[in-house]
Amino acid sequence: MAGIPTSVVAAGGLVGGYGVARWTKKRPLGGVALAAAGAVAARQWAGKAGAGKAAALTGLYVTAFAGSHLLAKKVGAWPSVFAVAGGVALASWVVESRA
């Protein structure tokens, strides 16, 4: 996965995790997809930007996941997931481009 930009891995984890959970009706399976992409992203962030920034971006990833649930009550599930995925992707890109 080293050839895939980390911003895409992270956003894909959020969108893919929700998609898997919704389409299979098995939330734990969505959680596995979310966690797997998060682990790959964290490893890539650490390699490209350092441990401190990787920890901050991983925290953002987890916070975005949790926050999407609250946002979904206002704008709907898919718009919420896409919004937080975009935010994480943007933050990832900014941090990595300045590393």
Side-chain angles (χ1 to χ4, degrees):
M1 287 241 186
I4 300 172
T6 315
S7 57
V8 174
V9 172
L14 290 161
V15 173
Y18 176 69
V20 167
R22 182 166 180 146
W23 291 317
T24 65
K25 299 189 182 350
K26 295 185 183 339
R27 292 181 75 183
L29 193 54
V32 169
L34 176 81
V40 170
R43 184 177 170 132
Q44 287 183 220
W45 285 323
K48 293 179 182 177
K53 291 178 182 174
L57 287 167
T58 301
L60 176 63
Y61 184 80
V62 172
T63 301
F65 165 69
S68 70
H69 292 81
L70 300 173
L71 184 59
K73 293 178 182 179
K74 298 199 180 277
V75 299
W78 279 113
S80 172
V81 170
F82 287 131
V84 299
V88 169
L90 178 62
S92 175
W93 178 78
V94 167
V95 169
E96 283 187 353
S97 69
R98 295 182 181 188

